[in-house]
Amino acid sequence: MNQMNNGSGDWWIYAQDDSNYYFFLGYDSLPYIVFSRSTAEKCIGFDKVNVDTWCGIDTNEIVFQVKYRNIKAKDSTVIYAERMDNEHALLYRSNYPDVVFFVKTSNSGLYEVDSIVDFYEDFTVYQSEADLKKKQTRCIEKNI
């Protein structure tokens, strides 16, 4: 039994075979999640077409890790990210120590800066990286 996409595309959202259940995520680097039938048998409240009931699978965290890998591929200065919710994260970048970037993430691996907090400069808040560069009293940016 497969569950197909309801839109104009011709792909499956859910599928199964003799050994596993599959859920389509749609990311190039992680197109689907695989869940074994033997694990499903031990999973209380398991519903094969509802990935949220698959024990031990946190789809929000999986999606965030995919987004983080995409961000790292596009911005090699990102050294750490922490998910705030499905669409927002904190980023730490190697070229700005003591600074945290609050960002909106996208499926493409890009991010849009909401605000920037500089802990070294008395928790000064900036709206963009350009503002951060203009206002900093110390020269810390380095190319890697």
Side-chain angles (χ1 to χ4, degrees), residues 98 117-126 138:
D98 304 321
V117 177
D118 187 343
F119 298 105
Y120 187 82
E121 296 287 336
D122 296 325
F123 298 94
T124 303
V125 178
Y126 302 101
R138 65 200 191 285

Side-chain angles (χ1 to χ4, degrees), residues 83-95:
R83 180 168 61 98
M84 295 172 65
D85 58 35
N86 291 342
E87 301 301 322
H88 298 87
L90 306 175
L91 295 183
Y92 295 89
R93 295 175 58 201
S94 60
N95 55 345

Side-chain angles (χ1 to χ4, degrees), residues 30-55:
L30 185 67
Y32 54 86
I33 299 170
V34 179
F35 195 70
S36 75
R37 285 181 174 251
S38 61
T39 302
E41 291 172 3
K42 302 171 195 161
C43 188
I44 298 170
F46 178 78
D47 177 358
K48 62 185 178 183
V49 295
N50 182 355
V51 72
D52 292 331
T53 67
W54 295 13
C55 303

Side-chain angles (χ1 to χ4, degrees), residues 64 67 71 86-89 103-107 110-112:
F64 177 72
K67 288 180 181 182
I71 287 170
N86 291 342
E87 301 301 322
H88 298 87
V103 300
K104 291 180 190 172
T105 59
S106 72
N107 291 344
L110 299 175
Y111 59 89
E112 178 184 331

